[in-house]
Amino acid sequence: MLQYKFCFLVFVCLHLFCPDLSAQNSAVTIETVKNLTQQSCDYLDETNYEKSLKKSGLALKYAFDLKNDTLIARNYNIIGINFHDLGELDKAVFFYKKALFYAEKSNIVSLKTMITSNLGNLYFFEKKMYSEGITYYKQSLKFGQQQKYQKEIAITNLNLVWSYFKIGNFKEGLPYLQYINEHQNDLKGKSDDIALNFLNGMYWSHQNENRKADQYFLKALSQNKSVDDKQDLSYAYLEYSKFLDKIGKHEQAYDNLVLYNKITDELFNKSKLKKASKAGISLELAEYKRHIEKIENEKTSQTQSLKKSRIIVILFILISFILLFLIVTLIKNIGLKKKHNLELLEAKEIAEEASTLKTQFISTISHELRTPLYGVVGITNMLLEEHKELSQSQHLSALKFSARYLLSLVNDILQINKIEENKVVLESLTFNISDEITVIRNSLSFLAQKNNNKINVDIDEAIPEYLIGDKLRLGQILMNLVSNALKFTKDGEVEIIVKLNKIEGSFHYLDFLIKDNGVGIAAVDQNKIFEKFVQVGRKDEDYQGTGLGLSIVKRLLGLFGSSITLESDLGAGTSFSFVIPFEHDPLKTRKIIENIEVDLTSNDIYKILIVEDNLINQLVTKKIIEKNNFICKVVDDGFAALKILEKEEFDLILMDINMPLMNGFETTKRIRLLEIKTPVVALTAFDKDEITHEAVSAGMNDIIVKPFEPVKLFKILNYLITESKSAKNAG
């Protein structure tokens, strides 16, 4: 890949302070935003993405306050480059397009040139979407010619030559090559000389002018080889090897191919080390060896739990049939023997007792499964975060996927139970539809790789950046539909398409389409698949599931006041579509933009007490807390917690509920009797709705259900600790 891909990063910083900014506020305020933008660029140069995003997010907030389209466009572009570097391509495209929108409004030609070139690089080199990449390059070239940016024009022409030659279209690429040959001084760089010469070699090889081609290739390989030239030099060896093989010089072709592989390996190793450095890997090999045995034990435990889950499903079905039988009997008795009111009342009590028993049974089983799953998911994430070299391990990926599958099974059963008992209430949360779908796609990447599938996402640009609605229930619907499509598709594609259907007042109706080219569903089975525990068209080798996913989708859509449409043909694929209205409130946008920054850590060092009896959970929770630079102490039970609180002060207490000797509720009550006002957060595997009342009564401040997202944990910790300190200072 050419080194010119990110050349426009320098171009960003060169144009940050041009005099065409339209000041909407005081000069001091504009200068502040410009300084923040410059700092973001500097951090990006140092590959300090967290700080770069933090600065650009703050600058973006102020730019919106000033209604300064130029500064908005620049900061959106910087955020896009951050995500581009980090490999978050869909997010990068989203922010680049936002940047281009505001650049068009401000009509700053240099910005439009830069952003369209960035989009060209991303689509062509990263997404391999060649026609889109070439379209953006041509657009960038058009903008650059308006202001006669000679170097940028030359670089874009060179990228266009490379693009057309890469797809074998030498005729289209020739005019751009001729321009570079006439204006090669505008490139002003050794790296550019290497690229230009081997591109000339490729063209003359295509024309069968072997002598000219050989001269250009040798000229490319004779340039001074600096560290920055390595990438282009590797491509020169590769193309020269192809040329030599074409003219029958196979031994020389092989020698050049060896040199290409050698340089490629060096670059790969450097890239790998750079990524390891970004991730901050610090765990020594000895520490990994001490934990691997525990991981294997957890893996065995997880396998056993998966077997037990089948028994749970069978028991759940049996209880449901018993309950159904009792209700039918009750109705029959009411119709036939009204005089036996006492007997009917007793039967009703039995039915209610059975229903209560079912709820208690599901709650208990879910708690017993979530506790070990917290350890499995937590330690697996620790290994993947701290040992990036293990990210390709099939064993760890399989372990993580299996744990999440078992957790999904537990959640599905609980979800069905809650919907049937009318306990689900839709929430109003602000969210970004592109971010939510990206999270879903990433979480299903293992399943996609398993069946060699691709997940394509197409989101209508007319959809507002932020919407209001129940993003959690929407995520459950999309997760079930996309995972279902991936299970029944092999060597194919699954598409997630979101279009703006209509606008009524403040509500935007979004049309969702989940489409695959898999095995399809027979017409006779299409009316049955939304029923519980129904599996159609399965073979022994097919992926096995619970049969709950589509039933949950239909019921959740009912809560949104929507319905689902199915179209499918055997062997041709399946598509599911539905429409959901979401509210759009621009007044909340300013607050949400502040959350673009990804670094949620605090500059203060807080002291946390963990009260937990499970050793694996102690390890996982302690590791997560200390990773955020908090001081952490762990005790095994409530009595030990009371004892240490007599001697030491803590900023916050994480309290397990189900402990021997004394549970978390009783421990919290005794802490409050000692007039200790330290915030207490329940860290539990129980469902939150089941324990909220008792937790509040005991004096707890909040509840987090395991397994949890670390970001959510730190948000709650920072909020409660800050609130507690403010109350103490005010007192």
Side-chain angles (χ1 to χ4, degrees), residues 61 64-65 586-595:
K61 173 187 178 298
F64 269 105
D65 290 339
L587 295 178
K588 295 183 180 179
T589 299
R590 183 181 304 172
K591 183 180 293 184
I592 299 304
I593 289 174
E594 296 175 358
N595 292 328

Side-chain angles (χ1 to χ4, degrees), residues 137-145 153 156-157 160 176:
Y137 281 143
K138 288 183 176 180
Q139 194 174 353
S140 177
L141 191 61
K142 178 182 176 182
F143 291 139
Q145 289 170 342
I153 292 172
T156 305
N157 272 277
L160 279 165
Y176 301 102

Side-chain angles (χ1 to χ4, degrees), residues 347-364:
K348 181 181 177 183
E349 290 175 352
I350 293 173
E352 290 175 348
E353 185 178 353
S355 179
T356 303
L357 178 63
K358 181 192 76 169
T359 302
Q360 291 175 347
F361 170 77
I362 293 173
S363 175
T364 301

Side-chain angles (χ1 to χ4, degrees), residues 32 85 114 218 257 266 307 310 356 389 439 476 551 576 635 664 678 702 725:
T32 300
D85 276 0
M114 168 180 28
L218 291 176
L257 187 61
E266 291 176 2
K307 293 179 181 177
R310 297 191 181 98
T356 303
E389 69 272 18
V439 169
Q476 288 177 330
S551 178
F576 293 92
V635 294
T678 303
D702 210 332
K725 289 183 178 294

Side-chain angles (χ1 to χ4, degrees), residues 441-471:
R441 188 181 70 173
N442 292 342
S443 65
L444 293 175
S445 60
F446 176 79
L447 183 56
Q449 293 172 6
K450 178 183 177 183
N451 288 342
N452 193 28
N453 292 324
K454 293 182 179 179
I455 303 176
N456 297 323
V457 177
D458 181 10
I459 300 176
D460 194 342
E461 293 183 11
I463 297 173
E465 185 174 2
Y466 294 104
L467 299 169
I468 300 173
D470 196 330
K471 67 175 183 178

